[in-house]
Amino acid sequence: MHRRRFLAAGAAAASVGLAGCRSLFQTRSARSPPLVSDRPDAVYVPSHVEGMAMVGTAAAGDFRVALTYSYPHRFWLVSGDSTEKVEIEGSDSLHLMTTVWDPETDTVLPHGSLTTTITRDGERLTSGKPLWPMLSQNMGVHAGDNLELDGDGTYEVEVSVPPLPTRRAGALGGRFGELGTASFTLEFSQSALEEISYERLPDRQGERDALDPMSMDMMPVSATPAPGDLPGTVVGEGSSGDARFVVSRLASPPDGVSAGDSTATPADGPDDDRPYLAVSMRTPYNGYPIPQASLSATVTRDGTTAFDGSLTPTVHPDLGYHYGAVADVQSGDDLTIAVDGVPQIARHEGYETAFMSFDELSMTVGE
């Protein structure tokens, strides 16, 4: 595996999570606790929970970016229908993380192309290093990696945020189309890293449940609206691959959406006269959006296909991150949702066995 190496640092900011100092033994144990045995093919409580330290937030054009870090830890990359575990290496010093959001609506924007450039004392140490898009139970959607550190000291870090490749709709339309760069100064100390909270979970590990999301004043955590808060009419719900699916029908597509954005069997009439089908694919328990999947839908009415096509990843401040299309869908129709490609987002422990195999979901569209 190609392992991205990175000179990184931390900050003398307060850590988030359980308080208290930890011994060197506990700190080292946090780097490689035993995996839960007999892990279910579903979301489960991991072997331990870690806090994290907030470095700060900064503007990057239209984007807002937070930089945080925690202990190095294992995670899993997804390639096609399989996963590959990234082990902690002896030279790894920390796990650096970024979260990107819209500062006007606090909508977290899943982004798979963030890069970092690091300088120290005027010398560029690394340039354009990418971070993996990831999903974790306490942090939700973010980007990060285990990174090698060059000792205590001061580092300048630039986080580059390319134009958002996901379709934007509603109040997000027409924005996030240009490159933005956020700048941070990191004051690293090993002692501050070792004070970040860490707790083993022997009584809960392996349970069909999840850790609670972190609560932070300086940045939002990715989330999806509760079914009752979704725009339009919720016409069906279901579960597959341990993911939850909530399907909403809007009377017309939101601003920024047209039928030409997806490959489909179209209906007659202008785009703005046809309904919009929005499928929210989310984690159980915490309701995080699950990005980087491929979804399609088929709508049949009296034995005739009214819609058959892909659902486009879309982010909207009220619908959240979802998969949607302009579709001729009416009450009483038969609707089938298929996951044609499993989510390619990397996963922290507790998510690596879920969202890997899906059955089609069939439902009758409600009123």
Side-chain angles (χ1 to χ4, degrees), residues 165-168 276 291-295 311-315 321-324:
T166 308
R167 181 172 67 183
R168 287 88 72 194
Y276 181 70
Q292 295 188 295
S294 297
L295 271 64
L311 302 176
T312 302
T314 307
V315 63
Y321 184 100
H322 66 282
Y323 302 83

Side-chain angles (χ1 to χ4, degrees), residues 232-236 249 330-332 364-367:
T233 302
V234 173
V235 298
R249 176 188 180 276
Q330 301 177 14
S331 174
T364 300
V365 177
E367 294 290 342

Side-chain angles (χ1 to χ4, degrees), residues 2 37 69 109 155 267 318 337 341:
H2 174 67
S37 60
Y69 70 91
L109 305 172
Y155 299 80
D318 299 321
I337 304 293

Side-chain angles (χ1 to χ4, degrees), residues 277 297-301 304-308 327-329 333-336:
L277 184 68
T298 302
V299 178
T300 58
R301 182 181 312 125
T304 300
T305 300
F307 175 88
D308 184 18
D328 181 18
V329 55
D333 288 347
D334 294 320
L335 171 64
T336 300

Side-chain angles (χ1 to χ4, degrees), residues 149-168:
L149 140 89
D150 195 31
D152 293 2
T154 302
Y155 299 80
E156 301 299 324
V157 178
E158 286 188 352
V159 178
S160 294
V161 188
L164 187 67
T166 308
R167 181 172 67 183
R168 287 88 72 194

